[in-house]
Amino acid sequence: MMKKLLLVFNFLIILLFQNFSSGQIPYQTNKYLEEARKNKFVNFEKAVHNYEKSIAYFTYKKDTLNLINSIHELSELYGHNLNYGKSYDGYWKALFLAEESNDEFSKSRVYQSLGWLYSFYNRNKKALENFDKALDISKKLYLKKEIDEGYLISDYFSKANFYRYNRDFETARKYVDSCFIYFKSKNNQTQNYFLESERGFLLAIDGQFDTSEKILNESYTYFKENNESYLVIVHYFFAQLYQIKGALKKSKYHYLKSLELSSKYNSHMNYQIINHKELSTIYYDSKEYKDAFFHINKAIGLENKIFGINSKNNEYLFEIKDKYRLQKTEQEQILKEQRLLKLEHKQKLSRLRSILLFITLFFLIIFGFMVFKNLKRRHKREKILLKQKQKIKLKENKKAIDLKNKELAKSALQLIEKDEFIAGLKNALTENKEELNSTTINKVIKSIQSGVGSNWKEFEARFIDINQDFYKNIKQDFPPLTQTDLKICALIKLNFSSKDMSSLLGISIESVHTSRYRLRKKLKLDRNDNLVEFVSKY
């Protein structure tokens, strides 16, 4: 029974330690919650009333996070006052709400509290499962930076006390060391006197009395100024220290001070049982039997009230224990079914989205293909139309050039006729030169002869103006062509006869034939190749 009470005492240390952790969870408050906290260690009934008002307030506001916190704090209050049945009831209610709202932080806090309640009734396996769940969740939240180290330390501290209760001091020290590691990682210049008090207590058990006493004195000074109700625990630590050391007078003093402060602040009621039992042992060893009987009687009365077989509190706890286990199982089954339905719904939605996406992509591809095909067809039409326009334009240009060339040829023929007329006139004058002045005849003949060269220049200028690239293109393909060759080519393009060429160039027909023969060689034409057709291409 004594071990059970020590475990209860450890649980209350953790609750207090949690209350003074600096968390990051955005809890809100209200006037009822503030009033409840103010009366927590002063007026139990008033604190309970205000906690219930706070629960009703957050229920009305549909604020699940703060509703869970209010229920949890009320359950802690019942735990402080040894009403573990109602405490157990509240924790399970808080856990259901946390699971429904997927509130991982609240789940971790409730799992820790349930771990303690299971341990009070020696259900150690179940207790350790809940402690481990709480620690696992806290580690994940800490890595995500959703909570600070205070809550993680609280979970390590719970396991340290659990193993200490089971007298596995080596494992207990490891978890206490973990608490200090996380605390010192962020608080190098400050002390956590909740942890320091526990360390002092462990040092006393190890026989390091001087160091233990020094640490507990420092803790006493801190809690005297900041949280006097916690001195119930500090005085208990001192009493244990002096009892192990053999200083029984000092030990009795601190047990009595712990009892006094527990009654004054109506807190840590479980220490009354522990203190009465320890005082009974000391008085019995001192042969002060009356005082020993008084204290053991007090301890037994409180034990029966809390843990006894006939205790209504105990009966209620075991009654709701099975009830909640069944309710929890049903709740988990419902949640599983709901999750399955949600998963099926998500799968259907995902499948529908995939089908819609596929259909959309299919139509987009078809639409894109049709647009591309239409653009290609239109581009092809435009290309054909452009070619047709170019052909029409080329035909028109060719017609215009042919027309101009015909006009040029006509003009050249007129020049040739003029030359022939002049030549006839010359002959006539020559035949009758005896009757004319010789000087005048010579002037006329000179004027007629100079006209032949000017006729060609006029013809060539007009030819180049009409056929701008003719000379350039043919010269580029056949560089050896001379000026005479180019003149012959120009006249061939205009389909001039050898006689007309002779008249326009002022050379004999034989010379024209010779020039044409040489030109064929330079153009590398065979006997069967048509010179006129070849030149007309340029």
Side-chain angles (χ1 to χ4, degrees):
M1 185 63 71
M2 191 66 180
K3 287 181 180 178
K4 187 179 291 184
L5 292 171
L6 284 171
L7 195 61
V8 174
F9 129 74
N10 291 333
F11 167 57
L12 296 176
I13 291 176
I14 301 300
L15 293 182
L16 273 170
F17 184 79
Q18 280 186 204
N19 289 337
F20 289 92
S21 295
S22 55
Q24 293 175 310
I25 302 303
Y27 284 136
Q28 294 179 2
T29 187
N30 58 55
K31 62 180 181 180
Y32 305 114
L33 194 57
E34 289 173 1
E35 192 68 22
R37 289 169 178 168
K38 193 186 300 181
N39 289 280
K40 194 170 184 178
F41 301 117
V42 180
N43 189 324
F44 173 75
E45 287 78 12
K46 192 172 182 180
V48 170
H49 175 74
N50 280 286
Y51 272 125
E52 288 172 347
K53 286 280 189 182
S54 178
I55 290 167
Y57 172 81
F58 285 124
T59 302
Y60 173 74
K61 289 286 186 181
K62 296 182 179 179
D63 187 342
T64 308
L65 177 67
N66 289 288
L67 172 61
I68 293 169
N69 184 51
S70 292
I71 294 170
H72 192 264
E73 286 193 27
L74 176 58
S75 301
E76 286 180 359
L77 179 63
Y78 281 127
H80 275 286
N81 288 270
L82 310 181
N83 193 337
Y84 299 121
K86 287 190 176 181
S87 179
Y88 190 95
D89 190 357
Y91 288 138
W92 274 100
K93 185 177 180 180
L95 183 60
F96 290 151
L97 288 171
E99 288 185 338
E100 285 177 0
S101 59
N102 200 27
D103 179 358
E104 291 296 307
F105 171 74
S106 297
K107 281 164 69 175
S108 72
R109 299 305 91 210
V110 176
Y111 278 133
Q112 187 194 101
S113 301
L114 283 172
W116 285 113
L117 285 178
Y118 279 119
S119 65
F120 296 162
Y121 292 92
N122 296 319
R123 299 186 65 188
N124 290 340
K125 184 178 179 182
K126 194 73 175 175
L128 196 56
E129 283 178 8
N130 281 276
F131 285 139
D132 288 336
K133 283 180 181 179
L135 183 58
D136 288 342
I137 294 172
S138 292
K139 284 179 179 177
K140 290 174 184 176
L141 294 176
Y142 181 73
L143 288 173
K144 293 177 182 177
K145 298 182 180 180
E146 293 181 15
I147 60 170
D148 66 15
E149 71 281 355
Y151 293 106
L152 191 60
I153 293 169
S154 171
D155 288 318
Y156 276 110
F157 200 59
S158 297
K159 294 199 74 173
N161 280 275
F162 176 83
Y163 283 111
R164 183 160 64 83
Y165 158 70
N166 288 287
R167 306 195 64 77
D168 186 353
F169 296 115
E170 186 177 348
T171 306
R173 285 190 190 93
K174 287 179 181 178
Y175 280 100
V176 171
D177 289 342
S178 296
C179 293
F180 275 104
I181 288 168
Y182 279 103
F183 180 76
K184 293 296 182 183
S185 67
K186 298 288 180 70
N187 305 277
N188 289 326
Q189 305 300 322
T190 59
Q191 296 284 351
N192 185 313
Y193 287 99
F194 294 96
L195 289 176
E196 291 294 332
S197 299
E198 180 66 18
R199 187 163 71 94
F201 184 73
L202 288 171
L203 288 170
I205 291 173
D206 291 342
Q208 299 182 43
F209 303 125
D210 292 340
T211 308
S212 172
E213 189 172 11
K214 181 183 176 183
I215 291 171
L216 290 175
N217 275 319
E218 290 174 356
S219 299
Y220 179 87
T221 303
Y222 172 81
F223 288 116
K224 181 71 176 174
E225 294 176 1
N226 296 282
N227 183 11
E228 198 170 0
S229 68
Y230 195 75
L231 291 177
V232 175
I233 300 169
V234 177
H235 277 296
Y236 171 77
F237 287 162
F238 271 120
Q240 285 281 293
L241 165 65
Y242 293 126
Q243 188 175 0
I244 297 167
K245 192 177 178 181
L248 299 181
K249 188 175 180 180
K250 285 185 177 181
S251 180
K252 282 193 292 185
Y253 168 79
H254 285 290
Y255 280 132
L256 290 169
K257 285 298 291 182
S258 181
L259 282 168
E260 179 188 331
L261 289 171
S262 178
S263 298
K264 178 181 177 181
Y265 291 105
N266 195 32
S267 67
H268 313 294
M269 303 298 289
N270 59 306
Y271 280 88
Q272 292 187 15
I273 301 172
I274 299 168
N275 291 330
H276 280 303
K277 277 209 163 191
E278 295 294 345
L279 282 168
S280 175
T281 302
I282 293 171
Y283 280 121
Y284 183 83
D285 292 340
S286 302
K287 297 182 180 180
E288 298 176 55
Y289 301 119
K290 185 179 178 180
D291 290 331
F293 177 78
F294 171 80
H295 286 291
I296 196 65
N297 194 45
K298 282 279 188 181
I300 291 169
L302 287 170
E303 280 180 356
N304 288 333
K305 181 180 177 182
I306 302 168
F307 298 108
I309 296 172
N310 296 321
S311 168
K312 290 182 180 179
N313 190 35
N314 199 35
E315 288 174 5
Y316 175 69
L317 178 60
F318 280 100
E319 180 186 339
I320 65 169
K321 188 164 57 178
D322 291 330
K323 173 185 171 182
Y324 272 112
R325 192 183 302 116
L326 291 171
Q327 190 174 350
K328 171 73 172 162
T329 305
E330 290 175 4
Q331 184 74 10
E332 286 178 352
Q333 185 61 33
I334 291 168
L335 288 171
K336 282 181 183 177
E337 289 175 0
Q338 288 177 346
R339 281 193 285 268
L340 186 61
L341 286 171
K342 284 181 181 178
L343 184 61
E344 288 176 355
H345 183 63
K346 283 181 180 178
Q347 288 176 342
K348 286 179 181 177
L349 284 175
S350 179
R351 197 178 300 115
L352 183 60
R353 286 195 197 100
S354 299
I355 292 169
L356 288 173
L357 181 62
F358 175 77
I359 292 170
T360 304
L361 286 172
F362 178 74
F363 279 108
L364 282 173
I365 290 168
I366 290 174
F367 178 74
F369 177 75
M370 290 177 70
V371 169
F372 175 76
K373 193 174 181 181
N374 186 48
L375 287 172
K376 191 176 179 182
R377 192 185 297 115
R378 190 167 68 183
H379 178 70
K380 191 175 180 181
R381 284 201 304 265
E382 288 176 353
K383 196 173 179 181
I384 292 169
L385 186 62
L386 183 63
K387 284 183 178 180
Q388 289 174 346
K389 286 180 179 179
Q390 287 175 344
K391 283 182 180 180
I392 292 168
K393 191 173 181 181
L394 285 171
K395 284 181 180 179
E396 289 175 352
N397 289 339
K398 191 177 179 182
K399 284 180 181 179
I401 291 170
D402 289 343
L403 182 61
K404 288 181 179 180
N405 282 333
K406 285 179 181 179
E407 290 175 354
L408 179 60
K410 185 179 179 181
S411 175
L413 290 172
Q414 287 175 350
L415 288 173
I416 291 168
E417 289 175 357
K418 184 183 77 170
D419 288 340
E420 288 176 349
F421 170 76
I422 292 170
L425 180 61
K426 180 182 175 183
N427 291 331
L429 289 173
T430 303
E431 289 175 358
N432 300 299
K433 64 181 179 177
E434 294 176 357
E435 298 175 5
L436 299 172
N437 187 306
S438 60
T439 304
T440 304
I441 292 169
N442 288 331
K443 284 182 182 180
V444 171
I445 291 169
K446 261 186 183 181
S447 175
I448 291 167
Q449 288 175 341
S450 64
V452 175
S454 64
N455 287 342
W456 171 253
K457 287 180 181 178
E458 182 183 348
F459 167 80
E460 189 174 38
R462 291 178 65 185
F463 178 82
I464 292 171
D465 184 54
I466 297 167
N467 303 278
Q468 295 179 0
D469 296 326
F470 177 77
Y471 284 151
K472 178 183 174 183
N473 292 338
I474 201 166
K475 182 72 175 174
Q476 186 176 346
D477 290 344
F478 303 98
L481 295 179
T482 62
Q483 287 297 320
T484 304
D485 294 330
L486 293 174
K487 289 178 183 179
I488 296 294
C489 286
L491 294 172
I492 289 171
K493 182 174 177 64
L494 295 177
N495 205 18
F496 272 54
S497 64
S498 296
K499 181 184 176 184
D500 293 337
M501 290 182 192
S502 171
S503 299
L504 189 60
L505 294 174
I507 59 176
S508 65
I509 294 174
E510 288 78 11
S511 296
V512 171
H513 288 161
T514 303
S515 295
R516 286 174 69 105
Y517 175 75
R518 289 174 181 170
L519 179 62
R520 288 180 67 87
K521 281 189 173 183
K522 289 181 181 179
L523 296 177
K524 299 177 182 179
L525 296 177
D526 294 333
R527 184 184 296 274
N528 297 325
D529 292 330
N530 190 307
L531 178 62
V532 177
E533 289 179 2
F534 182 80
V535 173
S536 297
K537 292 177 183 177
Y538 288 90

